Amino acid sequence: MTHAESQDLLLDLAYGELDAQRAAEVASHVEGCAECRKEKAALEETRRMAAPLRELEEPSPGFDDRILAAARAQAHLEHEGNVGQVIEVTGSVRPLGLEATRIDAHGPVQSRATRRDRPRWIVRAALGGSVAAAAALALVVSNTLETRRNAEKAKTARSDEYAIRVQTAADSLDGALRDAEVKRDKDRLETMKLEAVPPLPPAALEKEKVAQLSAPAHKPAKKKAGTPGVRIEGGGGDALGKLASRNTQAPARESDADRPAARASTASPSAGATTSGPPAAVVAAPAPAAQAEPRQPKSVAGAPAPSAVEANAQQARHAGNYPLAASLYRNAADLRQRDNDAGGAAWDLAHAVECLSAVGQFDEARRVRDELARLYPSETTALSAARRALREVDPPAAAPVQKNP
Amino acid sequence: MAQERTDEELLAAYQQGDPGSFEDLLRRHRAPLFTFLLRMLGDRERAEDLAQETFLRIVKGAQAWEHRARFQTWLFTIARNLCVDQSRRDRFRRADSLDAQGPGDEPPMVDSVPGREIDPSRGAESALLRPVLQRALLSLPTEQREVFVLREQAGVPFREIAEMVGVNENTVKSRMRYALEGLRKALAAAGVSEETAAEAPDPGVRLGRA
């Protein structure tokens, strides 16, 4: 064992990461090497002093409650096929050749294992009519309170409207995660105020939050339908557009970009219009025609919204995909620049620098940092963040932090 | 018996619809995860928030989980990423606030609140020493601190830390060396040596900025 090898392995030895033979080799070198001995002793001494940091601490009582509630709700959803209570099934689609069919949500419901981003329930109806007509079904997902109100509404609805009210358990998990996000968003807003960067409009924040909440990083945000996950399978015909436009109303918290099925139908208030409570949603069944439509967020048609790109970048970052995150942040910076949002652009570039530094692409990181300094010299906070990300590899003189420009 | 099942078996059972298995997982990892976040952030409330959020994300992602990595790695990766995000925000905020001190991370003083961290069942010495240690830890750059805490407290091997952090193992070990060295200096500046550590120092000792 050479001295260099031994030096390299002292840490592994101290933390028990070497096999017995290797450990013995290092130990025998250390014994005869004053420098290694000294280093090993210092290392062990620091570890002994730091020992109290290893002691476990417990969070406050009640810490588990919210998590366990969410865990139960999720297990419930995933496996018992119990999406809740069908309180009433109203209406029929007789005009389209369908027999009114009672759908029992407590009966066998199939989960789609492939759609893992969010539990989704497909209620299979025994449909007597044409396959196309099945698309005319609309599901009203609602919480209990809203359901009552809706029941009245639905009774007065036309006979070709088919409404099923279901109480979802997914809301509890989503709610818990949302709370956590809201709390963090508040922090973010606060930060933004301090930075004197104009805060994102509420809608954009909302979109970002939803995207962040419900889309795992490996799936594009557009994949999730955003609604509390109930849909009916079936083909569709012309009836869909008509019905969907009458029945579908997005709950306020869902962003358009995440709700491809509702594109044809954002405007008209209807049975769903009263379901203003957050967990309420109405989902129109997708018809082949609807599926053929591009399922992209609207903004993609022109330029993507910078906030959407930033949300994706953040997801990539959280997932540890820093190179992707960096490139997305740079795209977002271009978009912000186009919108004359210097503050936003500067921060996006700063995030890109951080992401690049995180994976050791320091040259690229420096280039981006220099670009940031050149384009937005007055964005000093973003600039110091970018410099800070590089302070480990840059000599201190090269990375001054401008406190008060 | 639940205790004998591995994390991965418990998670698989949860995927099959057994909420009790998740409860076991939570019980097993709650304190280590919380302690990790507490060491990283130095703030109980934030550590609890992020620990909760970490577990909620686990719940959310459980169905999609595949047994490619250890559960613990997944758990700490989520927590670590939330933490990085959080400390970045804190840095930004601090950079603009009046008490901004420059590039160093001025540690929050939460841990110095008497009694908050002191558990009578533990040795009085370590309870008194811990706030000083925590401040020393917070004086390290985040990159070093996370490696140190993951290895020292969470017991994650260097190779796995490398995967979590997205750098190679040599970089991890080099950060670990810097961390130990930095800690040593910070403790020396605070007047803590192995001898004084044994004598329980004044918990009011403020660390000098290294």
Side-chain angles (χ1 to χ4, degrees), chain A residues 333 336 341-351 372 376 379 382-383:
Chain A
R336 293 259 179 228
D341 177 359
W347 274 115
D348 285 333
L349 289 178
H351 293 327
L372 165 59
Y376 311 106
E379 296 296 330
L383 194 52

Side-chain angles (χ1 to χ4, degrees), chain B:
Chain B
M1 218 175 118
Q3 269 73 8
E4 289 163 11
R5 289 193 288 170
T6 64
D7 293 343
E8 292 74 23
E9 283 163 358
L10 286 172
L11 194 62
Y14 176 61
Q15 285 180 327
Q16 296 306 308
D18 169 24
S21 300
F22 190 87
E23 210 166 331
D24 290 342
L25 268 179
L26 177 60
R27 298 253 154 76
R28 192 179 286 183
H29 292 280
R30 180 183 53 206
L33 184 79
F34 171 69
T35 309
F36 165 70
L37 288 164
L38 182 59
R39 299 287 170 251
M40 285 300 291
L41 302 164
D43 182 313
R44 292 193 82 89
E45 200 186 326
R46 282 190 193 169
E48 280 194 16
D49 283 350
L50 290 198
Q52 265 190 348
E53 199 175 334
T54 303
F55 279 114
L56 288 172
R57 284 179 189 226
I58 294 279
V59 168
K60 190 104 180 155
Q63 280 304 311
W65 184 80
E66 286 164 34
H67 192 168
R68 279 203 218 105
R70 291 199 299 154
F71 171 79
Q72 194 206 19
T73 310
W74 183 34
L75 182 76
F76 279 89
T77 304
I78 295 174
R80 181 259 170 195
N81 289 342
L82 288 173
C83 225
V84 167
D85 219 40
Q86 170 89 55
S87 53
R88 194 184 71 232
R89 272 176 210 157
D90 291 350
R91 271 208 317 268
F92 291 169
R93 197 169 311 166
R94 218 175 299 131
D96 256 11
S97 65
L98 286 174
D99 58 351
Q101 301 269 329
D105 293 340
E106 176 69 13
M109 296 302 294
V110 173
D111 277 351
S112 65
V113 176
R116 283 196 81 176
E117 296 248 3
I118 296 178
D119 179 340
S121 69
R122 288 174 189 150
E125 292 158 20
S126 84
L128 290 169
L129 188 58
R130 219 176 314 132
V132 182
L133 288 165
Q134 177 73 65
R135 280 198 294 275
L137 189 58
L138 287 169
S139 73
L140 301 178
T142 313
E143 298 82 2
Q144 294 174 21
R145 186 162 72 235
E146 70 182 1
V147 169
F148 176 84
V149 181
L150 283 169
R151 178 59 265 196
E152 188 71 44
Q153 182 258 317
V156 183
F158 292 122
R159 184 178 34 78
E160 283 184 29
I161 297 176
E163 280 168 31
M164 290 164 73
V165 176
V167 297
N168 68 39
E169 195 177 335
N170 282 334
T171 306
V172 169
K173 279 158 74 177
S174 127
R175 286 178 185 176
M176 185 73 184
R177 282 191 204 97
Y178 280 121
L180 286 162
E181 182 64 26
L183 211 50
R184 193 180 167 75
K185 280 187 188 150
L187 289 174
V192 181
S193 68
E194 204 167 6
E195 294 75 44
T196 58
E199 293 161 13
D202 174 5
V205 168
R206 271 298 304 268
L207 286 184
R209 295 181 59 80

Side-chain angles (χ1 to χ4, degrees), chain A residues 37-354:
Chain A
R37 224 173 25 241
K38 196 174 152 213
E39 200 164 311
K40 180 165 173 280
L43 199 159
E44 284 166 354
E45 190 199 17
T46 310
R47 288 197 65 198
R48 277 195 300 275
M49 286 196 291
L53 293 175
R54 281 200 295 269
E55 286 167 18
L56 290 182
E57 308 216 16
E58 288 283 350
S60 341
F63 173 84
D64 292 357
D65 299 350
R66 215 153 58 102
I67 300 164
L68 288 178
R72 283 188 206 107
Q74 184 85 342
H76 192 57
L77 260 179
E78 295 285 352
H79 295 282
E80 286 166 34
N82 188 349
V83 289
Q85 234 181 331
V86 171
I87 293 164
E88 195 184 355
V89 177
T90 54
S92 81
V93 282
R94 211 176 285 278
L96 296 164
L98 270 174
E99 292 298 316
T101 307
R102 176 143 190 111
I103 298 175
D104 182 3
H106 293 278
V109 176
Q110 192 178 332
S111 92
R112 284 243 304 248
T114 48
R115 301 288 295 266
R116 279 170 165 163
D117 48 348
R118 179 184 281 258
R120 227 160 277 274
W121 302 93
I122 300 157
V123 181
R124 293 187 189 281
L127 299 169
S130 68
V131 177
L137 291 179
L139 257 186
V140 180
V141 186
S142 169
N143 66 6
T144 317
L145 266 179
E146 295 300 328
T147 298
R148 298 265 153 75
R149 220 194 297 164
N150 263 346
E152 298 312 308
K153 192 93 181 171
K155 271 176 191 161
T156 62
R158 283 179 43 169
S159 65
D160 58 347
E161 286 176 311
Y162 198 102
I164 307 162
R165 279 167 302 284
V166 186
Q167 195 176 353
T168 62
D171 295 331
S172 116
L173 173 60
D174 282 352
L177 267 171
R178 200 170 303 118
D179 287 350
E181 284 293 330
V182 164
K183 193 159 181 177
R184 279 150 50 81
D185 277 343
K186 233 190 276 166
D187 282 357
R188 191 182 320 181
L189 272 174
E190 218 173 287
T191 309
M192 285 173 148
K193 273 182 219 146
L194 279 167
E195 287 156 5
V197 172
L200 289 172
L205 261 184
E206 197 67 28
K207 187 183 290 184
E208 184 182 80
K209 190 168 72 190
V210 169
Q212 196 179 330
L213 267 176
S214 44
H218 61 282
K219 286 188 183 160
K222 65 186 178 193
K223 269 201 146 178
K224 59 180 165 56
T227 43
V230 179
R231 61 180 264 195
I232 288 188
E233 264 197 341
D238 291 340
L240 173 70
K242 196 174 106 211
L243 256 186
S245 66
R246 205 164 36 241
N247 281 356
T248 306
Q249 173 74 33
R253 69 185 157 88
E254 303 295 344
S255 69
D256 281 346
D258 294 327
R259 208 163 34 79
R263 299 187 69 202
S265 54
T266 40
S268 52
S270 70
T274 54
T275 62
S276 54
V282 183
V283 189
Q291 277 162 353
E293 276 180 52
R295 296 194 153 219
Q296 241 98 64
K298 274 176 192 163
S299 48
V300 169
S307 59
V309 179
E310 281 160 2
N312 287 339
Q314 193 179 19
Q315 268 175 27
R317 183 180 188 144
H318 284 181
N321 190 347
Y322 295 108
L324 174 65
S327 104
L328 287 170
Y329 274 126
R330 291 171 79 172
N331 291 346
D334 290 344
L335 295 167
R336 293 259 179 228
Q337 188 185 21
R338 207 166 303 160
D339 295 349
N340 289 322
D341 177 359
W347 274 115
D348 285 333
L349 289 178
H351 293 327
V353 172
E354 289 169 338

